Amino acid sequence: MKRVGLLRVARRFVLVMGAGALGAVVCSTGVYLFVPAPVETTGAGQSGGGTTLRSAPARTTMGTSERRALDLLRRAGRAPAEINYQGTKLFKSWSRWGQMTTTAYIRNVPGQGVTVVANDGSGRGVSGQRSSQLESADVKPDLSDSALATLTQAYRVQIGGAERMLDRAVTRVDVLRLSGTVVGHIWLDDATGLAVQRELLDTAGRVIRRSVFTGLSILPAVAAAPSPVSDVSDCADGLSAAQLADLAEEGWDLPGTQLAGLTQVCARTVGTGADRSIQLSYSDGLFTLSLFAQQGRLDPAVPAGFSRRQVGSTDVYLRCGLYRELSWARSGMVYTMVTDAPDSTVTSIVEAVPTVTPDDGVLARMSKGIRRVGSWVDPFH
């Protein structure tokens, strides 16, 4: 049975993982551009099902605060196409496995997209080793009508209050689980509509992601030119339900359209021949993940920055950064996940995938391989 190096594949293709209505992008180096994608679900931070839809119908029953909050979010969605700006931004991520901090220079030109030049990450995992993991930035949120409809199927939004940041008047919009607990905040500049800070919280109320402008300059208006940026979240080349069913017949153990409160928004083939893998992208409008699956064994050559950890009852390779990268092997399959989802969601996914119980022979072979390899530290994302 072949050995698989999915960590390399995951890093190469993370740009297509998409993002939720508050935005997210991850990439491997220096300069990058981003466009996110909408999805429907009931939320990674709460239980529930949902159906596989590119966008969801908006709820018809909304209070005044929620309607006003949605109006502000729609304005924020239009702002990058209208506002010429530059600034510096701080990004932080926390989890039980570690934390990550990095900064970046942001430049937005209407019609040309967002350019991000990120510094090296400064985070350290719980082992004390420095993480040089992928740079990540919550840069250009998808606040289209369809994305906001998706968001409001899984969460509620409301006006949180008036505040000041960077000597500018801002309005805080709170994102709440359907249970009423807060899952996120986004601060919107009153003058321009730009999102100047974002926070995501876990179910215990702890901040697990934060992105905030530490400096922001509004520049003179420029004539908008046609954007050369293609939508990296496009799923025109995605696999159909029939093609996924054929893969299952061939022995590919892949999760379905719902995964730990996240809804599958795209499935595609990555690579060919021996390097072929299947990428499944999931989101709930706030949190995202890409799951790469490949038949074979986990490569025993441990990549730099990764170490052996146990997530639930499963041995994994884990790397902590603004997004978490985890890789594990069972039942003749190797899975690599890149995500910013809460720790509890990560654990439930690792425990749920693969979906079938492996035979004893496969388990024995995999456990030997895992012992030879080790596992990762930290996280997203």
Side-chain angles (χ1 to χ4, degrees), residues 90-127:
L90 173 70
F91 307 95
K92 298 198 72 171
S93 176
W94 296 265
S95 87
R96 73 181 67 163
W97 298 295
Q99 65 181 46
M100 184 73 171
T101 302
T102 192
T103 59
Y105 166 77
I106 313 293
R107 179 72 173 94
N108 179 77
V109 179
Q112 298 182 28
V114 181
T115 300
V116 183
V117 182
N119 297 326
D120 290 338
S122 58
R124 295 180 182 273
V126 294
S127 65

Side-chain angles (χ1 to χ4, degrees), residues 5-160:
L6 271 187
L7 302 177
R8 168 182 54 81
V9 178
R11 279 196 291 274
R12 185 183 302 165
F13 289 94
V14 287
L15 268 178
V16 299
M17 70 183 287
L22 297 191
V25 62
V26 61
C27 63
S28 57
T29 185
V31 178
Y32 36 100
L33 300 171
F34 166 72
V35 183
V39 57
E40 178 193 11
T41 184
T42 55
Q46 53 205 9
S47 61
T51 57
T52 307
L53 299 174
R54 282 290 170 171
S55 60
R59 286 187 284 114
T60 56
T61 304
M62 293 185 184
T64 302
S65 178
E66 184 162 18
R67 292 186 182 279
R68 183 182 168 218
L70 284 172
D71 287 343
L72 292 177
L73 291 174
R74 291 188 185 99
R75 183 189 180 211
R78 297 190 301 267
E82 302 170 353
I83 306 300
N84 185 24
Y85 68 88
Q86 65 183 13
T88 54
K89 210 167 189 180
L90 173 70
F91 307 95
K92 298 198 72 171
S93 176
W94 296 265
S95 87
R96 73 181 67 163
W97 298 295
Q99 65 181 46
M100 184 73 171
T101 302
T102 192
T103 59
Y105 166 77
I106 313 293
R107 179 72 173 94
N108 179 77
V109 179
Q112 298 182 28
V114 181
T115 300
V116 183
V117 182
N119 297 326
D120 290 338
S122 58
R124 295 180 182 273
V126 294
S127 65
Q129 61 189 122
R130 183 179 179 84
S131 172
S132 58
Q133 193 223 8
L134 304 174
E135 311 297 350
S136 167
D138 305 310
V139 177
K140 187 180 178 183
D142 180 5
L143 295 169
S144 63
D145 288 344
S146 59
L148 291 175
T150 294
L151 179 72
T152 55
Q153 289 300 302
Y155 303 101
R156 293 191 299 108
V157 294
Q158 66 182 28
I159 299 298

Side-chain angles (χ1 to χ4, degrees), residues 14-358:
V14 287
L15 268 178
V16 299
M17 70 183 287
L22 297 191
V25 62
V26 61
C27 63
S28 57
T29 185
V31 178
Y32 36 100
L33 300 171
F34 166 72
V35 183
V39 57
E40 178 193 11
T41 184
T42 55
Q46 53 205 9
S47 61
T51 57
T52 307
L53 299 174
R54 282 290 170 171
S55 60
R59 286 187 284 114
T60 56
T61 304
M62 293 185 184
T64 302
S65 178
E66 184 162 18
R67 292 186 182 279
R68 183 182 168 218
L70 284 172
D71 287 343
L72 292 177
L73 291 174
R74 291 188 185 99
R75 183 189 180 211
R78 297 190 301 267
E82 302 170 353
I83 306 300
N84 185 24
Y85 68 88
Q86 65 183 13
T88 54
K89 210 167 189 180
L90 173 70
F91 307 95
K92 298 198 72 171
S93 176
W94 296 265
S95 87
R96 73 181 67 163
W97 298 295
Q99 65 181 46
M100 184 73 171
T101 302
T102 192
T103 59
Y105 166 77
I106 313 293
R107 179 72 173 94
N108 179 77
V109 179
Q112 298 182 28
V114 181
T115 300
V116 183
V117 182
N119 297 326
D120 290 338
S122 58
R124 295 180 182 273
V126 294
S127 65
Q129 61 189 122
R130 183 179 179 84
S131 172
S132 58
Q133 193 223 8
L134 304 174
E135 311 297 350
S136 167
D138 305 310
V139 177
K140 187 180 178 183
D142 180 5
L143 295 169
S144 63
D145 288 344
S146 59
L148 291 175
T150 294
L151 179 72
T152 55
Q153 289 300 302
Y155 303 101
R156 293 191 299 108
V157 294
Q158 66 182 28
I159 299 298
E163 302 181 19
R164 292 194 68 82
M165 297 180 62
L166 300 173
D167 200 29
R168 305 177 68 89
V170 300
T171 298
R172 191 187 78 240
V173 172
D174 297 333
V175 184
L176 289 76
R177 300 177 181 88
L178 300 184
S179 64
T181 59
V182 176
V183 68
H185 305 286
I186 182 168
W187 285 261
L188 305 173
D189 180 49
D190 290 349
T192 63
L194 291 170
V196 294
Q197 180 169 329
R198 182 183 83 123
E199 289 183 349
L200 296 178
L201 287 70
D202 64 13
T203 53
R206 295 174 296 231
V207 177
I208 57 175
R209 290 184 66 80
R210 176 181 292 135
S211 59
V212 55
F213 274 101
T214 56
L216 177 64
S217 298
I218 307 302
L219 304 176
V222 297
S227 174
V229 184
S230 61
D231 188 345
V232 297
S233 66
D234 177 56
C235 197
D237 61 343
L239 298 170
S240 66
Q243 290 172 312
L244 289 172
D246 290 341
L247 287 170
E249 289 293 324
E250 296 171 11
W252 289 76
D253 190 345
L254 304 173
T257 57
Q258 297 295 315
L259 186 61
L262 300 165
T263 295
Q264 187 183 112
V265 293
C266 188
R268 54 161 52 90
T269 298
V270 174
T272 60
D275 291 330
R276 182 191 185 195
S277 64
I278 305 300
Q279 180 194 7
L280 304 175
S281 298
Y282 295 83
S283 180
D284 70 351
L286 286 184
F287 299 102
T288 63
L289 74 85
S290 272
L291 183 70
F292 298 81
Q294 191 168 359
Q295 294 179 317
R297 294 178 181 268
L298 191 62
D299 193 334
V302 184
F306 293 84
S307 64
R308 174 177 295 188
R309 301 287 291 177
Q310 191 170 58
V311 175
S313 60
T314 302
D315 289 316
V316 304
Y317 295 135
L318 172 64
R319 185 176 187 174
C320 181
L322 295 174
Y323 286 74
R324 279 156 290 178
E325 301 171 68
L326 301 91
S327 188
W328 67 100
R330 281 201 302 265
S331 303
M333 298 288 298
V334 176
Y335 303 93
T336 294
M337 177 168 56
V338 182
T339 186
D340 65 348
D343 293 344
S344 58
T345 301
V346 170
T347 300
S348 65
I349 291 171
V350 171
E351 292 288 84
V353 178
T355 61
V356 299
T357 303

